Amino acid sequence: MKLYKFLRFGKKARRKKTTSNRRRLTKRKFLLAASLAVLLLAAMYIIYLDFTVRTRFEGRRFALPARVYARPLELYPGLKLKPAELVAELELLGYREAAASREPGSYRWRNQLVELVSRPFTYGDGAQEATSLRVTFGSDRVKALQRRADNSAIELLRLDPALIGGIYPGNNEDRVLVRRDEVPQLLVDALIAVEDVRFYAHRGIDPRGIARALVMTVSGKSVQGGSTLTQQLVKNFFLSAERTVRRKLNEMIMALLLEVHYSKEEILETYLNEVYLGQDGNRAIHGFGLASSFFFDKPLMQIDLAEAALLVGMLKGPAYYSPRRHPQRAQERRNLVLGEMAEAGFITDQQLLAGRITPLGVVERPPRGTSPYPAFLSLVHRQLRRDYRDEDLRSEGLQVFTTLDPWVQRSAESALGKQLQRLEQGRGIAADSLQGALLVTDTQNGEVQALVGGRDPRFEGFNRALDAHRPIGSLIKPVVFLTALQQPQSYTLATLLDDSPLLLQQPGTDDWQPQNYDKEFHGQVPLRMALARSYNVSTARLGLQLGVPSVLDNLRRLGVDHELPGYAASLLGADAFSPLEVAQIYQTLAGGGFRTPLRAIREVLTFDGLPLQRYPLAVEQVVDAPSSYLLVTALQDVVRQGTAQGLHRYLPAELGIAGKTGTTDDFRDSWFAGFSGDRLGVVWVGRDDNQPAGLTGASGAMTVWAEMMAGLALEPLILPVPDGIERVWIDPQSGLRSVAGCPDAVELPFVAGSAPAESAPCGPGFKGNSLKNWFERIFR
């Protein structure tokens, strides 16, 4: 029995042992399979990370914004320019005054002589080297250009254009790419000494460096971090800024993979272009290439030891160690970097001491953001979008050369801001309630030289110059009178117009009864004086006789490209236009009847400086020369003896300015459009809430226009007389012929054969039996 029990127990034990072994074997197999699966997944994940690293890094395509430049100032003998104006341009470009100007970007001014060294720059027609020259002035003009080396004459020299902004990626990153051989070794030494002293020894991660950084950080004796340069690049280039274990593991794996595929120099070059180094308004400064010009106004290769140490020191906290906002912190951090360089053997003790006592050398400049001229840049961007995809504008590094004249822009911004404040103070208007917008163009080619979208020219929001559509009031009247003058057998500058009360009754609409500004009627008035004094009633009668559709057809020919309702009130400016649209209308008038589309771009180059697209001058004659000549003559009378006479307080009469004031109902909008021989300006003043501003065109917008133009060198408006024009003396009261010496007689231009045949009592060939006809003409 005992033996039986023993044998039975042994059999059970063997079965349990076998079962346990089987379970243990199954568990091992499961663990092995699970391990293999984990390894397979890990391998697949590493392959995915490897693909990500190689795909993104091999292209190393940074999103480069389009860089937008102002027009370059071209210097040549005979140019109308004062020494102070040239110096102002140089200072705008960031040139520095020096006792002996020898470096590019420096100048020296002494009375009628300016010596300077221009910067090199690549234009669409080739590279221009740095040039050391002497500019001699006389009678407010450039008298001579000479090379300082041998006194040889220079016929033409272009200064480098001012960078006025960019069209940036969504995060507004900006950078200037540099190659490894364009980076001074002292900057690389500083970077390695502080951020990764074993950079050339490790393979992406550095356990010794991590341990050393941990110990030294606890002791407070080091400025080093634990991550290698490769890890920092991976974090910035591939990953987010989240602080998680998973992100850190990804960073370490990708750093190892990066080092497997690419050389140290390739990794270092990408790092130098990627890092964030500060903020300029809403523009993010990335890479040492841009940081060098942003902080020191010099190319990266020209920075010295102390400047290199400062830039590297800022990596730890660009805002906290900003040399402009926190110079003491920045200096202390720079000196720590210099100390690390000395400890690592990159610099001598003598260099260390010299570097520590060197001033920071940071160039002071106001924050610029994406552009100091956001309103103008908005126009540039809109015109570029006709030809380019928006993503290309924000990533391909295009170079856009525009028409902006910084000197004109500065005058425009100053005039608008100062004059709006004066108007508010002088007329008891609530402070900051007035707004305004203006444009300045070149009358010869339609280039937009300046554009201001509001009284705060740095505001990047609503752009009134482009997007504020307001009734233009009397600015429409020249179009009405042009339509009449295109019929010379019926209308001339001497034609008498009826300015008696008018009541227009049409089915389905309210009665229309226009009034003059002075609430009076003036009987028979010469056509040119009806325009000069901006009489509403006579203009309305004339427009109705011509037909509203005829006037609107002319408006379209002048450059308006949107539909117009065509009401009778349109004849007095009830329709709304933007200042840009008004500028296009008056550009055609100032251009002698030739329509030239307004343009803000001259040409576009690729990132490498290759011509991509030019924007040539496009001209189409839409108004015959005689009609255009007669109208502009009448617009000059607006300034000589009409609603714009007040311009003479600001500008000499010899300039022969032509212009027109505009005022809308309840004084809600104040307009002025005027032009000299070379510049056209359009100004709007009013309120954003459309409440009455209490200003006429003459008391508001015209004063801004005058203030602006008084600060510019204007060419007089001298009209070339077209073929088929004759001049005849006219009696203004009767509109009949007169002679020089007769009371109030004026000499007016006429299309040949259109001048009146009859004579006034003082006129040539007057016969007594014509007296009855003369009185009838006056009193009819």
Side-chain angles (χ1 to χ4, degrees):
M1 177 61 75
K2 289 182 179 179
L3 179 61
Y4 170 76
K5 287 182 178 179
F6 173 78
L7 293 173
R8 185 180 179 187
F9 175 79
K11 188 176 182 180
K12 287 182 177 179
R14 286 194 298 274
R15 282 202 301 267
K16 287 182 179 180
K17 185 175 182 180
T18 301
T19 301
S20 176
N21 289 338
R22 287 175 179 171
R23 288 176 178 172
R24 199 175 293 116
L25 181 60
T26 302
K27 185 176 181 180
R28 288 174 180 172
K29 289 181 178 179
F30 174 78
L31 290 174
L32 178 61
S35 299
L36 290 173
V38 169
L39 289 174
L40 179 61
L41 290 173
M44 293 177 64
Y45 187 64
I46 291 173
I47 291 172
Y48 162 74
L49 291 180
D50 184 69
F51 175 78
T52 301
V53 167
R54 287 187 292 109
T55 300
R56 287 200 57 193
F57 196 81
E58 284 178 4
R60 275 174 286 178
R61 283 179 53 82
F62 294 98
L64 297 178
R67 299 199 172 278
V68 184
Y69 296 93
R71 64 94 185 96
L73 178 62
E74 296 184 340
L75 299 175
Y76 54 88
L79 174 66
K80 191 174 183 180
L81 186 73
K82 300 176 182 178
E85 293 171 347
L86 174 58
V87 169
E89 180 90 14
L90 295 175
E91 290 178 347
L92 181 68
L93 293 173
Y95 280 56
R96 298 179 299 277
E97 187 171 14
S101 56
R102 295 189 179 92
E103 297 296 326
S106 62
Y107 74 93
R108 179 174 178 264
W109 177 22
R110 293 293 182 273
N111 299 320
Q112 296 295 303
L113 179 68
V114 176
E115 295 178 332
L116 65 100
V117 183
S118 67
R119 296 189 183 114
F121 195 84
T122 300
Y123 293 95
D125 56 3
Q128 179 175 281
E129 299 297 328
T131 304
S132 178
L133 69 150
R134 182 182 301 109
V135 187
T136 307
F137 293 85
S139 302
D140 294 339
R141 290 185 181 273
V142 174
K143 186 176 180 181
L145 297 177
Q146 295 172 300
R147 288 183 175 84
R148 293 165 66 186
D150 57 8
N151 292 326
S152 61
I154 299 175
E155 296 299 322
L156 174 70
L157 183 128
R158 284 179 296 187
L159 296 178
D160 49 303
L163 179 65
I164 62 172
I167 301 174
Y168 296 90
N171 52 8
N172 284 341
E173 284 188 12
D174 194 9
R175 54 174 51 84
V176 173
L177 294 183
V178 292
R179 296 189 301 272
R180 173 62 184 87
D181 58 6
E182 296 173 331
V183 181
Q185 186 59 39
L186 54 86
L187 176 67
V188 176
D189 293 344
L191 186 63
I192 289 174
V194 173
E195 296 294 331
D196 191 357
V197 73
R198 284 174 40 82
F199 174 69
Y200 288 104
H202 63 67
R203 290 295 179 183
I205 58 176
D206 184 14
R208 289 170 53 186
I210 295 173
R212 183 179 64 254
L214 180 62
V215 172
M216 297 301 287
T217 300
V218 170
S219 66
K221 297 180 180 180
S222 176
V223 296
Q224 292 184 350
S227 296
T228 65
L229 286 180
T230 311
Q231 287 177 267
Q232 293 178 41
L233 176 61
V234 166
K235 180 180 66 175
N236 294 334
F237 204 69
F238 300 104
L239 304 175
S240 66
E242 64 177 344
R243 294 177 176 270
T244 63
V245 174
R246 178 186 175 188
R247 205 271 304 156
K248 192 65 177 179
L249 288 174
N250 283 340
E251 175 189 302
M252 297 175 71
I253 294 171
M254 295 174 85
L256 291 169
L257 293 171
L258 200 62
E259 295 262 0
V260 168
H261 294 294
Y262 305 102
S263 69
K264 291 288 186 179
E265 295 305 306
E266 289 177 299
I267 293 170
L268 184 60
E269 179 181 287
T270 306
Y271 180 94
L272 293 166
N273 285 300
E274 170 61 29
V275 290
Y276 171 70
L277 282 161
Q279 201 72 25
D280 177 21
N282 61 349
R283 180 174 67 127
I285 306 299
H286 281 257
F288 286 96
L290 179 59
S292 175
S293 62
F294 178 65
F295 289 108
F296 307 119
D297 195 24
K298 61 175 67 173
L300 186 59
M301 281 298 291
Q302 294 182 13
I303 64 173
D304 59 27
L305 172 63
E307 291 165 342
L310 176 60
L311 291 180
V312 170
M314 292 173 59
L315 287 172
K316 185 176 182 180
Y320 187 80
Y321 294 108
S322 169
R324 290 196 177 102
R325 298 180 60 188
H326 308 293
Q328 185 62 36
R329 289 180 196 166
Q331 185 171 352
E332 291 172 358
R333 177 69 182 172
R334 179 201 67 180
N335 292 344
L336 281 173
V337 173
L338 290 170
E340 291 292 317
M341 293 181 71
E343 185 174 334
F346 289 121
I347 60 175
T348 65
D349 290 342
Q350 185 177 359
Q351 289 176 304
L352 171 63
L353 294 174
R356 283 180 168 173
I357 63 174
T358 301
L360 291 179
V362 174
V363 176
E364 292 300 326
R365 63 174 67 179
R368 191 193 72 184
T370 53
S371 174
Y373 311 116
F376 181 84
L377 203 70
S378 177
L379 175 62
V380 171
H381 196 178
R382 294 184 194 194
Q383 293 188 354
L384 284 171
R385 280 199 297 243
R386 301 172 187 169
D387 304 308
Y388 301 94
R389 299 184 307 165
D390 202 57
E391 53 265 37
D392 292 337
L393 294 174
R394 298 182 184 277
S395 64
E396 296 298 324
L398 301 179
Q399 300 180 66
V400 182
F401 293 87
T402 74
T403 61
L404 182 98
D405 186 319
W407 185 259
V408 179
Q409 179 73 23
R410 178 182 294 181
S411 183
E413 292 175 359
S414 174
L416 184 63
K418 289 180 180 178
Q419 201 60 29
L420 290 183
Q421 185 176 16
R422 289 173 187 163
L423 289 170
E424 289 170 344
Q425 294 175 348
R427 294 175 171 268
I429 301 173
D432 298 325
S433 62
L434 290 180
Q435 269 295 351
L438 63 82
L439 295 94
V440 180
T441 69
D442 187 318
T443 59
Q444 306 303 311
N445 54 30
E447 290 187 344
V448 179
Q449 297 180 340
L451 188 149
V452 185
R455 68 186 295 166
D456 178 2
R458 308 293 170 255
F459 180 63
E460 296 189 8
F462 184 56
N463 189 340
R464 295 164 188 82
L466 306 184
D467 300 320
H469 289 78
R470 306 291 289 248
I472 61 173
S474 296
L475 288 194
I476 196 67
K477 289 176 181 174
V479 185
V480 178
F481 286 84
L482 173 64
T483 308
L485 292 171
Q486 288 171 321
Q487 305 174 31
Q489 299 309 315
S490 300
Y491 299 98
T492 70
L493 293 179
T495 300
L496 296 179
L497 301 181
D498 184 3
D499 196 60
S500 63
L502 169 65
L503 174 62
L504 180 64
Q505 296 177 313
Q506 294 178 312
T509 63
D510 295 335
D511 292 349
W512 187 53
Q513 194 169 5
Q515 300 289 322
N516 289 322
Y517 172 74
D518 59 7
K519 305 301 181 184
E520 296 182 359
F521 301 98
H522 307 91
Q524 299 292 305
V525 294
L527 182 146
R528 70 183 187 92
M529 294 311 298
L531 177 59
R533 294 172 182 169
S534 202
Y535 290 153
N536 291 332
V537 180
S538 51
T539 301
R541 284 187 177 277
L542 176 61
L544 292 173
Q545 291 171 6
L546 297 167
V548 175
S550 297
V551 175
L552 297 187
D553 285 345
N554 244 347
L555 196 57
R556 294 186 187 94
R557 279 191 289 271
L558 293 174
V560 174
D561 59 3
H562 67 262
E563 290 299 318
L564 300 168
Y567 302 125
S570 299
L571 299 170
L572 298 182
D575 297 328
F577 298 86
S578 69
L580 179 67
E581 291 174 317
V582 173
Q584 181 63 75
I585 296 169
Y586 277 79
Q587 177 72 32
T588 306
L589 299 179
F594 287 88
R595 185 177 64 210
T596 305
L598 299 182
R599 60 186 183 131
I601 306 167
R602 288 183 175 177
E603 66 176 339
V604 178
L605 307 183
T606 65
F607 173 74
D608 297 319
L610 300 177
L612 192 61
Q613 184 164 351
R614 297 185 185 276
Y615 291 77
L617 191 64
V619 180
E620 178 185 1
Q621 185 171 9
V622 295
V623 179
D624 64 279
S627 300
S628 175
Y629 176 81
L630 295 178
L631 179 67
V632 176
T633 299
L635 290 174
Q636 288 179 312
D637 281 340
V638 174
V639 177
R640 291 191 187 103
Q641 50 190 316
T643 57
Q645 290 182 79
L647 278 181
H648 294 156
R649 297 197 303 269
Y650 300 85
L651 298 166
E654 292 74 22
L655 285 174
I657 302 294
K660 187 69 189 77
T661 57
T663 310
T664 60
D665 290 347
D666 300 322
F667 305 102
R668 298 177 190 275
D669 302 280
S670 170
W671 289 90
F672 186 75
F675 50 93
S676 66
D678 57 341
R679 289 193 174 97
L680 160 72
V682 173
V683 179
W684 168 82
V685 172
R687 292 174 54 130
D688 285 342
D689 59 9
N690 201 33
Q691 292 300 306
L695 299 168
T696 64
S699 64
M702 190 189 76
T703 65
V704 176
W705 191 98
E707 177 86 12
M708 171 182 66
M709 293 298 186
L712 303 175
L714 301 179
E715 294 293 335
L717 178 57
I718 302 174
L719 300 177
V721 181
D723 293 336
I725 292 291
E726 61 179 355
R727 300 189 70 85
V728 176
W729 285 92
I730 296 293
D731 172 59
Q733 297 299 319
S734 64
L736 301 179
R737 281 181 178 263
S738 185
V739 293
C742 286
D744 300 325
V746 293
E747 189 180 29
L748 300 178
F750 290 85
V751 174
S754 66
E758 296 183 69
S759 298
C762 187
F766 171 73
K767 298 179 181 179
N769 58 9
S770 298
L771 186 61
K772 178 180 179 182
N773 293 337
W774 181 69
F775 277 105
E776 288 177 350
R777 183 180 292 270
I778 293 179
F779 296 107
R780 68 183 176 193

